[in-house]
Amino acid sequence: MFTQQLQPVADSQTLSALVAVVPLLTVMVLLGVVRMRAHYAGLIGLAAAVLVAWIPYGMPLDQTLSSGVQGALFGLFPIMWIVINALWVYRMTVRTRHFDVLRRSFGRLSDDPRIQGLVIAFCFGALLEALAGFGAPVAISAVMLVALGFDPVRAAVVALVANTAPVAFGAMGTPVVTLAQVTGLPLDSVASVVGRQTPLLALVVPLLLVMLVDGRRGLRETWLPAVVCGVAFAAAQFVASNFVSAQLADIAAALVGAGALVALPSARKPADEAVRAAVLTGARSDDLDREDARPEVLRAYAPYALIVAIFSIAQIGPVKELLEKATQSLRWPLLDVAGPEGEPVSGNVFSLPLVATGGTLVLFAGIGTAVILRVRLRTALSEWGATVHELRFAILTVTSVLALAYVMNLSGQAAVIGHAVAAAGAGLAFFSPVLGWFGVAVSGSDTSANALFGALQVTAAHQSGLSPELLAAANSSGGVLGKMISPQNLTIACVAVGLKGREGDLLRKVLPWSLLLLMMMCLIVVAQSTFLAVMLP
């Protein structure tokens, strides 16, 4: 048995923490300074974590490597299993041109560009984040806005800022699922706290979007639709994450937010031509005026309705129990680790939810989508293979980062850093979201930031007397605000709208909003740790 030590380097907590932080610093420097591609940085960081665990921390090499393999497997299943199948569903809608039908349907909801920004960037972007994540919402939303006649820079900025509130529950809840796994906290507990933080962002972001689209006039004239959309989105995300399912949080929020917006009479009023002339300064796509048959429109919406239906059925008690029967638990080979107090750690046993996992449920929805959209079997399989190929570098990045996180967690590196960070005391509540923000700003992924920093946030919380669930959730909620300034997302936005090489221009436009919203999240977490503790479950 390997027992974790809190002062393995020269019996000094300070030196032990400085050594433990080397793998994290390696990844951050390679990504943020050297600008190395994420999958290479992840692999080098993993190598650094293995060396630190093996030599100064004294973890046997076979156990060190075994913990890394377990983390990589978790990165593949269920994490990337969810992303692959979700993106597969989207690719089939593109292949059959039903995504174009959906885009034209959105364009007909309102001719007011400020409302279009809310529907496409905020609501539909949230739906795309729920299904795929990993940059897809920004790219697709920005392209759709440009097709409506938005200036490319404005379209990119709106898409980037909108991709905040839904990120923590993106890709069928992947970030919070990862956070629960690396921290050992129950998924329902983590999701419920995140669901009491990010909805507060949803109240503000729509107002910010209409201002980005049309300045003070947009805020003055369309504040009511923005408020209605934000409140509906926030309420649905809160209810779903706390009482239904973390995987359904963004889907429910996107659909309810869009429904509330479309149902509002003032949101459907024809736009003033002066507004359209001022905002729509780009080239409008010619196919927007094409009429689509009602059956085709229904088919375009069907994949998303199917996902909602399947996930809802999976939450019914007897069905949920039946699906969980297929879950396999096994004692992980070559791994026998105890914490500093001598108790076995959760990594000794590995759980494999073969059916009761978001990726498998989305796979079922994908099969149903292929039938509804009349996709031939060979084409569907070809699109699935193409999806895996498209995500090959993302798969390598996620598996290497999760392997790094498992090595750091099981060797005790994360615990040592957590004890050192706990010295911040009460100030930890304020800086906790900043750590997540920094992780996402550098890595471009809330999932990666949660894997890297989740365990040390929990350790620091235990040592400082704060709620572990609160600080773990704050890592994810703060992280969503770093998404808009991450180099990966900026590059995706630029390429999508034809602004290649102008990442710096976009950064200057979105950085102030990222910092402003981050400050808001820091104050929310501080309040929830003190006089608003009643907000916590």
Side-chain angles (χ1 to χ4, degrees):
M1 176 181 289
F2 168 71
T3 303
Q4 299 172 352
Q5 303 296 318
L6 294 178
Q7 298 179 355
V9 181
D11 289 326
S12 167
Q13 188 178 68
T14 301
L15 288 177
S16 299
L18 289 175
V19 172
V21 84
V22 167
L24 296 178
L25 286 178
T26 300
V27 174
M28 297 306 173
V29 170
L30 291 177
L31 286 173
V33 179
V34 181
R35 297 293 179 90
M36 182 179 288
R37 298 188 69 175
H39 55 282
Y40 291 132
L43 290 171
I44 295 172
L46 172 60
V50 168
L51 290 174
V52 170
W54 177 33
I55 301 174
Y57 273 67
M59 190 179 194
L61 183 59
D62 58 345
Q63 297 213 44
T64 302
L65 296 177
S66 181
S67 62
V69 172
Q70 184 182 150
L73 179 58
F74 179 72
L76 284 173
F77 190 96
I79 300 304
M80 291 309 297
W81 178 239
I82 298 171
V83 179
I84 289 169
N85 289 318
L87 195 57
W88 174 52
V89 173
Y90 163 71
R91 286 182 65 97
M92 285 192 290
T93 67
V94 173
R95 180 67 177 260
T96 60
R97 298 191 180 279
H98 283 90
F99 183 78
D100 293 333
V101 176
L102 192 68
R103 174 169 58 84
R104 287 191 289 269
S105 174
F106 288 156
R108 287 191 290 269
L109 291 176
S110 172
D111 67 349
D112 189 325
R114 299 161 302 188
I115 304 301
Q116 291 171 340
L118 291 176
V119 171
I120 293 173
F122 188 66
C123 296
F124 186 61
L127 189 59
L128 292 171
E129 182 66 40
L131 299 179
F134 292 86
V138 170
I140 296 168
S141 297
V143 167
M144 292 177 74
L145 291 175
V146 169
L148 290 171
F150 275 65
D151 170 75
V153 172
R154 179 177 282 143
V157 169
V158 169
L160 284 165
V161 174
N163 191 220
T164 48
V167 169
F169 296 104
M172 309 310 293
T174 295
V176 291
V177 169
T178 302
L179 185 60
Q181 181 70 19
V182 300
T183 59
L185 298 172
L187 174 59
D188 291 344
S189 299
V190 174
S192 65
V193 179
V194 175
R196 295 162 193 245
Q197 294 172 343
T198 55
L200 299 177
L201 293 176
L203 299 176
V204 176
V205 172
L207 292 168
L208 181 55
L209 293 179
V210 296
M211 188 170 69
L212 288 172
V213 172
D214 193 30
R216 293 182 180 179
R217 177 178 58 186
L219 189 60
R220 184 175 64 252
E221 295 181 358
T222 54
W223 66 267
L224 181 58
V227 167
V228 169
C229 179
V231 169
F233 185 103
Q237 191 180 64
F238 165 75
V239 171
S241 61
N242 277 268
F243 306 110
V244 183
S245 165
Q247 288 89 344
L248 283 176
D250 277 350
I251 294 178
L255 296 178
V256 172
L261 182 61
V262 172
L264 192 67
S266 61
R268 300 195 307 271
K269 290 172 55 178
D272 190 292
E273 285 304 317
V275 173
R276 290 179 57 79
V279 175
L280 303 180
T281 56
R284 186 174 182 271
S285 178
D286 293 333
D287 73 338
L288 286 175
D289 297 324
R290 175 181 167 183
E291 289 293 331
D292 296 297
R294 186 175 182 80
E296 292 304 304
V297 175
L298 293 176
R299 284 195 184 94
Y301 283 92
Y304 311 105
L306 194 58
I307 289 174
V308 173
I310 289 176
F311 271 84
S312 299
I313 293 171
Q315 299 306 311
I316 299 173
V319 177
K320 189 173 184 179
E321 291 176 6
L322 180 63
L323 297 179
E324 288 177 347
K325 286 183 179 179
T327 299
Q328 301 293 317
S329 294
L330 62 145
R331 185 165 183 82
W332 191 256
L334 301 177
L335 198 62
D336 190 7
V337 180
E341 291 79 21
E343 76 287 354
V345 301
S346 60
N348 296 333
V349 177
F350 188 75
S351 180
L352 201 62
L354 297 175
V355 181
T357 183
T360 303
L361 296 179
V362 176
L363 176 65
F364 294 155
I367 295 171
T369 296
V371 173
I372 293 172
L373 301 187
R374 301 169 184 169
V375 180
R376 293 183 177 179
L377 178 59
R378 178 178 294 182
T379 302
L381 293 175
S382 173
E383 288 297 329
W384 197 91
T387 302
V388 174
H389 183 265
E390 180 183 342
L391 290 173
R392 63 192 184 282
F393 293 126
I395 292 171
L396 186 56
T397 300
V398 170
T399 52
S400 62
V401 168
L402 263 297
L404 180 156
Y406 269 60
V407 170
M408 290 190 65
N409 294 346
L410 292 173
S411 66
Q413 296 174 60
V416 170
I417 298 172
H419 277 74
V421 171
L428 188 60
F430 182 85
F431 290 107
S432 185
V434 178
L435 192 59
W437 174 84
F438 177 74
V440 176
V442 173
S443 70
S445 166
D446 200 36
T447 299
S448 297
N450 287 343
L452 292 173
F453 300 131
L456 70 88
Q457 295 263 25
V458 169
T459 301
H462 282 303
Q463 294 302 308
S464 61
L466 295 170
S467 164
E469 290 83 3
L470 175 63
L471 294 199
N475 191 85
S476 192
S477 299
V480 307
L481 303 171
K483 189 90 168 176
M484 69 178 82
I485 63 169
S486 69
Q488 294 93 321
N489 251 27
L490 290 170
T491 300
I492 288 171
C494 284
V495 171
V497 298
L499 297 173
K500 191 173 182 179
R502 293 184 59 183
E503 288 87 352
D505 294 340
L506 290 186
L507 177 61
R508 284 189 289 274
K509 289 182 177 296
V510 299
L511 180 59
W513 304 115
S514 177
L515 293 174
L516 178 65
L517 293 172
L518 174 63
M519 179 61 66
M520 173 183 163
M521 182 54 64
C522 290
L523 295 176
I524 289 171
V525 175
V526 170
Q528 290 178 332
S529 70
T530 52
F531 63 92
L532 286 182
V534 68
M535 288 183 64
L536 301 180

